[in-house]
Amino acid sequence: MRDLGAALDKRREAGLYRRRRVADSRQQPEMVVDGERLLCFTSNDYLGLAAHPGVIEAFRRAATEWGVGAGAAHLVNGHMRVHHALEEALADFTGRPRALLFSTGYMANLGVVGALCGRGDTVLQDRLNHASLLDAARLSGARLKRHAHRDMAALERQLADAEGECLIASDGVFSMDGDVAPLAEMAALARTSAAWLMVDDAHGFGVLGPQGRGSVAAAGLGVDDVPILMATLGKALGVAGAFVAADEALIETLIQRARTYIYTTAQPPALAAATLAALKVARNEDWRRERLRELVARFRAGAGQLGLPLMDSATPIQPLIAGGAERAMRWSESLRRRGILVGAMRPPTVAEGSARLRVTFSAMHREDQVDRLLDALAEAVRCA
Ligand SMILES: *Cc1c(COP(=O)(O)O)cnc(C)c1O
């Protein structure tokens, strides 16, 4: 039996220890966290919908009408009219024939890859893909090959060597770097190799493209180019869950085969109702995306002037590279002393030597709050 205490101590010494903070307020820029009032640049609630009054009201009304739990899996009798209506709205919004709800993004990724690939097949992935896509490939039993970040020449070589069914899977917007995948090139490679292409748009959905349709729509691509679109509902949409949008045959295949769809309780119907309300706001209120663009531009201009180590990102995910894990921790502690919360991302979430602060913006942030962040960052980087 391993000495767990010693292993935890070692982790602490390496600056890799993870701990939870307890929040005493709803998700918004100014929160009480561990008893402290903090200005937060940490959430994925990009459009500010997690505590939107209309979304809350939809949730409340639906709980009254439908009860709390779905009580059964979708294939038993837990698939309620609101779940079904949300699937139809998501299919319409993404311009695809069908959509299928999953309880979480993690489960959607496991479900899709496992339904399409198994032993003897090949899954090709960007090295910086989300952990759930990597785990999905491992669990499927297919051969997993990873290539360097955004390296399409490497992907092309891997495609030439692929055996069996081949699935290319990529984040649309990379969650730790904030940059966008070269989707058009990927789609062209997938087409010439007759490989599946799956895009996980957890961070692009609601944020990029016309009306927030996501990174695939922003690249001008449709269901023929990217047959499998997955996105989550707990980030820009501010609720919870995920969906896959695709053609009829693919969705029906998932219903028959995706184990994380079949063997789990349907999400509470009120979540689906809240998501429907959030989707309407996300779709109709372009000012939220405009606001995000302004805040990001202000931050990047200010950070550039201060010489902060910005990465090449145009999305609300704006990482600042620290290098070592301890340095990233010192920076984030310095910010916290000034009343600002920013996440320090360390290995194994990011590669060794690329620990960073992950700054994220929400349409609810104000300009003076961005300026406060910049002042605190200048101080943090100078002193630590
Ligand atoms: C958050 C995230 C997921 C997981 O989604 P959950 O609904 O939180 O389980 C999957 N992929 C990416 C790229 C993510 O950022």
Side-chain angles (χ1 to χ4, degrees):
M1 236 166 54
R2 213 146 53 98
D3 182 346
L4 297 181
L8 288 170
D9 286 343
K10 223 166 115 192
R11 200 173 248 277
R12 216 172 265 122
E13 282 155 25
L16 296 177
Y17 204 79
R18 300 166 187 262
R19 61 175 202 91
R20 287 119 18 112
R21 299 180 180 82
V22 180
D24 277 307
S25 34
R26 46 175 71 187
Q27 188 56 253
Q28 58 195 18
E30 285 177 314
M31 295 176 69
V32 175
V33 181
D34 276 351
E36 264 184 289
R37 294 192 68 80
L38 294 172
L39 172 59
C40 302
F41 294 91
T42 40
S43 87
N44 304 309
D45 182 27
Y46 302 118
L47 300 179
L49 299 182
H52 183 282
V55 177
I56 295 170
E57 187 49 32
F59 184 85
R60 191 200 304 274
R61 271 202 311 270
T64 304
E65 181 176 355
W66 295 95
V68 178
H74 285 279
L75 283 167
V76 183
N77 67 349
H79 185 66
M80 296 178 171
R81 177 62 62 192
V82 265
H83 296 124
H84 204 71
L86 175 57
E87 290 182 343
E88 287 173 350
L90 289 166
D92 175 64
F93 184 58
T94 56
R96 287 162 181 258
R98 295 276 303 272
L100 187 71
L101 271 181
F102 282 80
S103 293
T104 72
Y106 205 121
M107 291 170 72
N109 283 342
L110 296 189
V112 171
V113 179
L116 295 178
C117 298
R119 211 177 291 281
D121 298 328
T122 308
V123 180
L124 304 179
Q125 297 202 23
D126 190 293
R127 210 163 253 296
L128 298 191
N129 275 355
H130 191 261
S132 58
L133 277 175
L134 298 170
D135 292 357
R138 291 196 185 107
L139 194 64
S140 75
R143 179 185 311 226
L144 167 62
K145 287 197 180 163
R146 301 165 73 183
H147 51 81
H149 184 45
R150 303 176 90 253
D151 185 345
M152 292 298 100
L155 175 59
E156 192 169 8
R157 286 192 298 276
Q158 291 177 333
L159 278 165
D161 290 342
E163 285 163 18
E165 278 287 292
C166 181
L167 170 72
I168 305 167
S170 180
D171 285 16
V173 173
F174 289 90
S175 52
M176 292 298 135
D177 290 52
D179 55 346
V180 177
L183 295 174
E185 288 158 85
M186 237 177 234
L189 285 174
R191 187 191 299 269
T192 51
S193 325
W196 291 104
L197 175 58
M198 169 180 188
V199 172
D200 171 343
D201 208 22
H203 298 278
F205 188 70
V207 174
L208 302 180
Q211 293 185 299
R213 286 171 209 271
S215 61
V216 174
L221 304 173
V223 68
D224 295 333
D225 311 294
V226 178
I228 312 167
L229 171 64
M230 173 275 188
T232 65
L233 304 169
K235 287 172 180 152
L237 260 58
V239 188
F243 71 94
V244 174
D247 70 14
E248 181 74 24
L250 194 114
I251 296 299
E252 285 300 319
T253 300
L254 294 180
I255 294 172
Q256 313 309 312
R257 298 180 52 112
R259 296 173 64 81
T260 55
Y261 182 78
I262 299 169
Y263 298 108
T264 199
T265 302
Q267 64 168 209
L271 285 180
T275 307
L276 268 169
L279 182 63
K280 213 168 276 171
V281 177
R283 186 175 190 157
N284 295 335
E285 297 189 4
D286 264 328
W287 68 265
R288 291 175 190 271
R289 279 174 288 279
E290 190 50 44
R291 184 96 196 96
L292 269 174
R293 276 191 291 273
E294 288 163 8
L295 294 167
V296 168
R298 187 180 188 88
F299 175 74
R300 290 189 65 85
Q305 275 171 9
L306 293 167
L308 299 178
L310 274 176
M311 289 182 72
D312 188 16
S313 161
T315 68
I317 302 170
Q318 292 290 326
L320 293 168
I321 291 291
E326 287 173 36
R327 192 151 181 237
M329 288 306 283
R330 282 199 305 274
W331 287 3
S332 87
E333 274 156 27
S334 162
L335 290 173
R336 221 207 55 234
R337 283 194 300 274
R338 287 172 180 80
I340 294 178
L341 185 67
V342 169
M345 300 297 160
R346 295 160 285 169
T349 305
V350 296
E352 204 63 55
S354 79
R356 66 196 65 185
L357 296 184
R358 179 177 183 268
V359 174
T360 55
F361 293 98
S362 148
M364 296 294 101
H365 281 116
R366 296 189 315 258
E367 271 149 23
D368 63 287
Q369 293 173 328
V370 175
D371 296 345
R372 228 183 104 192
L373 170 65
L374 286 165
D375 288 345
L377 278 169
E379 191 63 21
V381 170
R382 185 164 50 234
C383 301

